[in-house]
Amino acid sequence: MIDAQRLNLLKKQQQNLAIKVKTELAIRQQYLDKIAKKNVELQQIEESLKLLDETIAFLSVLITTARNEVYGNLVKTINFGIQEIFGLETEFKIESDLRGNTPVCKFFVKTKEFPEFVELDQGQEQHGGALCEIIGFLLQIVIYKISNCKFNTFVMDERFRQVAADKIEILGTLLHKLHEVFGLQFIIITHDELLAAQADKIIEIK
């Protein structure tokens, strides 16, 4: 009788142990399943990060290409204008850099008086500020081209007042060329009779 009781107790202990082992194995399997799921998620994150890095690299190249194209068109247009007025010795260029995360541009010119490139604020003095004024005007034209604005009329008050008298006729030719190429109209308010004489139509206000 005692042996039977002990046998039943051993069986019960075995059953309890088996249940405990089975429960622990189930819990362990749950942890393994979670780890496997996390590994899959981690792999997906790594693939997403790789794709993001590739996208960033592609966008960086795209932005650089687009910026260089814009700079190229800008420099080409400005050089066309200033060389028409100040001669082929005059040349404009842009140098860009990053200051922190902010893009920074510097404008340089070289002229007959400055055969090496200098920053614009130094080179303009040889033309009484006219060079800077013309470049500023041409920058407006380039921005107009890039932005695809619908308006085509520029109203300017006493613009080009720093351009020397011997350059006014050439400036007038440039304005006419801009009109022919881009379909632009210029309304200039001025007291300069030489500049007014370059216009197709003059309205005098007394």
Side-chain angles (χ1 to χ4, degrees), residues 15-34:
Q15 290 174 349
N16 291 338
L17 182 60
I19 292 172
K20 184 178 180 181
V21 170
K22 187 176 180 180
T23 302
E24 289 180 352
L25 286 174
I27 293 172
R28 182 181 178 186
Q29 187 60 46
Q30 288 179 352
Y31 280 123
L32 290 174
D33 291 342
K34 288 182 179 179

Side-chain angles (χ1 to χ4, degrees), residues 44-56:
Q44 291 175 342
I45 291 172
E46 289 176 348
E47 290 175 356
S48 297
L49 288 174
K50 182 181 178 182
L51 179 61
L52 181 61
D53 287 339
E54 292 174 352
T55 303
I56 290 173

Side-chain angles (χ1 to χ4, degrees), residues 144 147-153:
Y144 164 82
S147 59
N148 293 320
C149 292
K150 293 182 180 179
F151 72 88
N152 64 345
T153 302

Side-chain angles (χ1 to χ4, degrees), residues 132-199:
C132 185
E133 192 170 32
I134 296 297
I135 289 175
F137 165 68
L138 292 170
L139 279 170
Q140 286 183 299
I141 302 300
V142 174
I143 293 171
Y144 164 82
K145 288 173 59 182
I146 293 172
S147 59
N148 293 320
C149 292
K150 293 182 180 179
F151 72 88
N152 64 345
T153 302
F154 287 80
V155 180
M156 297 174 284
D157 186 8
E158 295 296 345
R159 195 68 184 263
F160 311 120
R161 60 184 177 275
Q162 299 190 66
V163 178
D166 62 336
K167 304 293 185 183
I168 291 295
E169 187 175 347
I170 303 174
L171 173 61
T173 302
L174 174 63
L175 293 174
H176 282 286
K177 284 185 178 180
L178 292 173
H179 168 69
E180 292 171 5
V181 174
F182 302 118
L184 302 178
Q185 294 182 348
F186 303 101
I187 299 173
I188 304 175
I189 302 168
T190 183
H191 291 88
D192 189 330
E193 294 182 359
L194 289 174
L195 181 58
Q198 308 306 312

